[in-house]
Amino acid sequence: MRQVAVVGVGMTPFGRSQKDQLEMFGEAAMDAINESKLKPRDIQALFLGNAVGDLSEGQTVIASHAAAEIGLLGIPATRVEGACAAGTMAIITAIMAIASGHFDIVLAAGTERQTVSGTAFATRIMNTGPHHLYEGPSGLTFPGIFAMMAHFYAKKYEVPLERLKDAMAKVAIKNHKNGEKNPKCQFPSIVDMMERRKAKAKKDGYPVPTWSDEMDFLHDTEVNMMIAQPLQLFDCCPISDGAAAVVLVPVEVAKRITDKPVTIAGFGQSAAGGIITQRDFTRLIAREISAKQAYDMAGLTPKDIDVCELHDCFTIAEIVATEGLGFFDFGEGYEAVERGDTEMGGIIPINPSGGLKAKGHPVGATGVAQVYEIVNQLRGICGERQVEGAKIGMTDTMGGTFASVGNLILKRGW
Amino acid sequence: MEYKLTYNAFRDGLKEGKLLGLKCNQCGIHICPPRKVCPECQSENMDIIELSGKGEVLTFTVIYVPPQGFEGPLVVATGKLDEGPWVIGNIEGMNPSNVTMDVIGKRFTVGYKDVPADSISGGDRIALTFKLV
């Protein structure tokens, strides 16, 4: 197999966009292609992560329309769908296409526009992720799935729910704090949100809230309302729009294009079906298989990872992911959060970009945006949110009912 | 080989008061809801059986922001049937604001409720319901 490298990355800001999925894709794709100093005509194939574009904007055959958007007529263009893991699965498909020797220069991207659907219909669309006959008709939502994870975790590891919830709130505080330093982040600062609410109360003549700090604010169920017990609003990532793209080439080609290529050291992907098939909420088999594949291929262990962007769609999901990826023992991830091990400057900085939680989660774009962050971390150009001296980074993306997981390990190629 | 226990047959069973599942003739495990092959040993050699319809709650949530077409608050639980399989359904007959972690480990009997079709559901569906005993 040929080794593969990233030579260009692009990403739109995440948040509420007035642009459609194809326009956002066009921006991210051309940023990646221009950064790699290539032209669209150099691209030989497109793999596009997109989870729900047919339901949210009424667009099927989206990969073909996306290719046409940037003048790529005649190349194979393929949509890859795996709910929130779609973007990572698109990158992995692209890597395999290059590693096999079939293509040399491939664009992998993800795009999604979900705010147009409104909360109720966006939630119905996401309700298509669980098994449509045997899980979805219960009205199960994604907050609901991860709420069941939180209760299961508290019971299994005998953690008082209030203690677990405070650790979860600490995940939110950390990721929003990281997001403050990311200009593409959807919801950067909890402190700013607190100040805005105080100013509005004052202006409208209501009693001004007296939250002492972010944790005090998150304990206020008036503002941090219950979404799916025990998950409150700030335990949940937002509904988002956005796109991201990466240009992938064989390492020998990368050396001709850039003096700072980032190489793919390992990857893994695994599928596991519904919750009812898997029979655990804390040991996610798809992640454990996928991460092992990635570590084995890279010849690395969790201790070798300097920085990780992982799937914090909900605060409890970050805790469970840090265990599944091997950074902490099972049942001890919440204590790592309490100690600050996952903060910037901690043992393993998690989600320096702000993660899905703060940066936003346009589902098909998320995995590609994680690679965008890790590539820039390894290049050392992340400014205030730079993990000092990061040489090896990892991404983790999970789709559906823990049903599809993809992992990538990336390394400085110079 | 023809699909042994289809969704339509599973649903019809519930409407007759029976929770149907499969028993694998190769490894002996019970499977519910149905599958084309045994998840344990991949055999297609399975027979339709009636399960006890009893189990216990493993975890739960109360959904306050439901999908379009559903009315909240909605108590959703994952349960383990006495024969082993995991199922997802709605706990009925409890005031959602009184549901706490104490519900974990509680015994239930399985029923069902109709879930109306919407434009992306491919027709009417049912959801399992759990009545605590």
Side-chain angles (χ1 to χ4, degrees), chain A residues 96-124:
Chain A
M96 292 190 292
I98 296 168
S100 72
H102 195 65
F103 296 116
D104 275 338
I105 302 177
V106 176
L107 183 66
T111 191
E112 206 78 61
R113 189 174 184 214
Q114 292 184 278
T115 64
V116 279
S117 301
T119 300
F121 188 53
T123 305
R124 172 66 182 100

Side-chain angles (χ1 to χ4, degrees), chain A residues 55 117 119-121 123-125 127-128 131-141 143-145 147-152 154-155 161 226-230 274-281, chain B residues 5-7 10 29-30 33-35 39 58-68 70 74 76-78 84-90 96 99-101 104 113 115 118 120-121 125-127:
Chain A
L55 292 167
S117 301
T119 300
F121 188 53
T123 305
R124 172 66 182 100
I125 291 173
N127 167 260
T128 62
H131 194 290
H132 78 116
L133 297 174
Y134 297 118
E135 295 178 326
S138 65
L140 189 57
T141 63
I145 293 167
M148 290 200 286
M149 173 187 271
H151 281 145
F152 195 96
K155 183 78 180 173
L161 187 61
M226 196 61 83
I227 303 296
Q229 187 183 333
I275 294 166
I276 49 179
T277 323
Q278 300 177 46
R279 304 189 189 189
D280 201 338
F281 282 85
Chain B
L5 177 57
T6 62
Y7 176 71
F10 176 80
I29 71 157
H30 294 87
R35 294 280 142 143
L58 294 169
T59 185
F60 76 99
T61 180
V62 184
I63 292 172
Y64 289 92
V65 183
Q68 183 174 296
F70 292 82
L74 202 56
V76 176
T78 302
W86 281 29
V87 286
I88 287 179
N90 298 111
V99 183
T100 67
M101 276 190 69
I104 296 176
K113 67 177 184 187
V115 178
D118 66 18
I120 61 170
S121 67
R125 298 163 296 166
I126 52 98

